[in-house]
Amino acid sequence: MIAGLLFAGSLSAREGANYDEAKVGTFELPDPLQPAGGAPVRSQADWLSHGRPATLALFEQHVFGKTPGGPMKLDFETLSVRKDALAGLATRRVIRIRLADVPAWTGIEMLVYTPNAATAPVPAFVGLNFGGNHTVSPETDIPLTTKSGSAANPARGLAASRWPLELILKRGYGLATAYCGDVEPDHPAGWRDGLRGALTGPGKTTWGEGEWGALGAWAWGLSRMLDGLETLPEVDARHCAVIGHSRLGKTALWAGAQDQRFALVVSNNSGEGGAALKYRDFGETPAIITSSFPYWFTATYLRYGPAPRSCPVDQHQLLALVAPRLLYVASATDDRWADPQGEFLAAKSAGAVYALFGKTGVAVDTQPPPEHPVGDSIGYHLRTGKHDITAYDWKQYLDFADRDWGGGGGGVELHVATS
């Protein structure tokens, strides 16, 4: 049932999508080292001083909208603690995150698991879920998510295969997740009952060009989850990965682009508006996605439906905003809707910015065959199968994080008992 939520509203449009590489045509991608309207980037200093800010501003203006700034007073309330979760494997917490000065927003309930075997703070993966925290775990005492107007599903453990808790915890990592509808329900009028409506008040009726959409609101929620993790001594908040699948993969990329505290950014089958190049006419396109889900983006993005190549940025530049931090992009063979080749090419093209920092990106010129992960500072794999996030995908993300965070390259040692 959750899988059905991922494509709601776009099935008829999918029938007209192009799946023939010969029909993609030729195009020239924007140069990530020469943002539109900005000065050339020739060094790390150039990227940090003007290249990165200019690129970020372009995505704010043309794709996602600008996230409101200003001071925030956050309240963190621990609702429950269970130290023998998952048959003693983990400690489980539920933490409510709220804005102290915005009582109209009911807040996020963040579910956090940390391994009991750890003897020092552990890195953690941070991601939103589609159907409620009770769908992530088979445990029967996690409160049901029943928010009105949401897509929450009451079936416990329905999405457990997408969150392999035992694998993650035994590898020495924590996990923090929350229902995306806690931030904002996923439908055109969801903002009225979500964060954006609470921040703007009753006078707001529409969202204009340059104003944030649902993806921006969800990305904001991921950063607030990281704020919450920073209060937990058992979590090494300096080494947290933001992760997302499908539309929440787009969200994870935008969160990681804006919030440089995330040390690793993981995109799983994020497709159009995420890791896939919009300049390619393959699978889902800006025209299709904005006809089905216009509220995910800023209103400006709707302009580019008829002419994607008139947009001054493409998604390789979004990926480049993660540099020099770790980045991982994953595709699936049967998920042509998300354009696996376009996802790989975006990851490859982002390497130009990583090179400024003396880092290597995907380290190959052509898309690898299925089940052959590649990459250095930018990881990539193509998995056999459908649009999903699986234990295979998670194993690659854990291996990738281990390489830099696990007793070596990143200077982080995981003090976790193994058996």
Side-chain angles (χ1 to χ4, degrees):
M1 296 177 70
I2 284 180
L5 299 177
L6 304 183
F7 298 123
S10 61
L11 290 175
S12 60
R14 190 184 312 176
E15 296 175 0
N18 172 48
Y19 293 118
D20 184 351
E21 284 288 346
K23 295 181 180 180
V24 170
T26 60
F27 56 89
E28 183 178 354
L29 288 175
D31 184 351
L33 302 181
Q34 179 68 70
V41 173
R42 298 188 177 92
S43 66
Q44 294 180 31
D46 285 350
W47 175 251
L48 296 174
S49 67
H50 59 264
R52 188 180 194 283
T55 304
L56 187 67
L58 288 168
F59 277 96
E60 290 175 336
Q61 180 181 354
H62 296 277
V63 184
F64 299 110
K66 187 173 179 61
T67 301
M72 294 178 298
K73 183 179 179 182
L74 297 171
D75 282 340
F76 304 103
E77 178 187 3
T78 299
L79 302 181
S80 65
V81 179
R82 181 170 175 177
K83 295 185 177 181
D84 62 345
L86 299 171
L89 178 62
T91 293
R92 188 191 75 207
R93 287 175 170 79
V94 178
I95 299 170
R96 179 178 289 136
I97 305 170
R98 299 191 66 177
L99 288 171
D101 298 326
V102 188
W105 183 57
T106 57
I108 300 168
E109 290 194 5
M110 178 172 65
L111 178 68
V112 183
Y113 285 95
T114 51
N116 284 336
T119 59
V122 297
F125 283 79
V126 186
L128 294 171
N129 63 70
F130 290 104
N133 292 339
H134 61 281
T135 68
V136 170
S137 170
E139 295 183 296
T140 59
D141 59 335
I142 296 174
L144 292 173
T145 298
T146 57
K147 289 194 173 182
S148 61
S150 74
N153 191 296
R156 292 191 180 278
L158 184 66
S161 66
R162 291 183 170 176
W163 303 90
L165 294 170
E166 185 173 345
L167 171 65
I168 295 165
L169 292 160
K170 286 186 175 180
R171 291 286 297 267
Y173 291 84
L175 176 72
T177 186
Y179 172 47
C180 64
D182 278 359
V183 183
E184 176 171 314
D186 186 9
H187 58 81
W191 65 270
R192 299 180 186 275
D193 299 317
L195 172 74
R196 289 189 292 156
L199 289 177
T200 55
K204 188 75 171 177
T205 57
T206 59
W207 293 89
E209 296 194 347
E211 294 185 303
W212 59 338
L215 292 172
W218 294 333
W220 178 95
L222 287 165
S223 287
R224 303 294 73 77
M225 292 168 67
L226 183 55
D227 290 336
L229 293 178
E230 288 180 334
T231 70
L232 299 181
E234 59 269 43
V235 174
D236 177 5
R238 297 174 302 112
H239 294 87
C240 281
V242 61
I243 185 170
H245 167 64
S246 193
R247 65 192 64 179
L248 297 180
K250 311 179 206 303
T251 302
L253 286 172
W254 184 226
Q258 297 177 91
D259 192 338
Q260 297 181 76
R261 295 176 300 166
F262 287 114
L264 165 61
V265 180
V266 180
S267 156
N268 191 91
N269 300 184
S270 61
E272 162 59 33
L277 294 173
K278 69 172 65 67
Y279 279 31
R280 280 170 52 85
D281 178 15
F282 194 98
E284 190 174 26
T285 63
I288 294 172
I289 201 169
T290 56
S291 68
S292 301
F293 307 107
Y295 61 95
W296 287 355
F297 304 92
T298 189
T300 317
Y301 197 56
L302 277 65
R303 295 185 194 176
Y304 305 114
R309 296 174 191 176
S310 67
C311 184
V313 286
D314 207 344
Q315 302 310 100
H316 64 302
Q317 294 166 278
L318 176 64
L319 302 184
L321 287 169
V322 178
R325 294 165 291 146
L326 297 174
L327 170 67
Y328 203 111
V329 175
S331 310
T333 57
D334 298 342
D335 188 17
R336 296 194 299 161
W337 181 245
D339 188 10
Q341 176 73 355
E343 292 183 316
F344 169 76
L345 291 174
K348 176 186 173 184
S349 297
V353 174
Y354 279 80
L356 295 174
F357 294 86
K359 295 180 178 292
T360 303
V362 295
V364 295
D365 291 327
T366 59
Q367 187 181 31
E371 283 76 55
H372 283 76
V374 297
D376 190 357
S377 291
I378 303 175
Y380 177 84
H381 74 254
L382 177 66
R383 169 183 50 77
T384 301
K386 62 182 182 179
H387 183 81
D388 201 355
I389 181 168
T390 69
Y392 175 86
D393 298 313
W394 273 100
K395 183 178 183 302
Q396 311 320 308
Y397 307 146
L398 293 165
D399 288 349
F400 190 70
D402 273 357
R403 193 186 63 195
D404 276 52
W405 299 352
V412 179
E413 184 177 359
L414 302 187
H415 301 274
V416 178
T418 57
S419 58

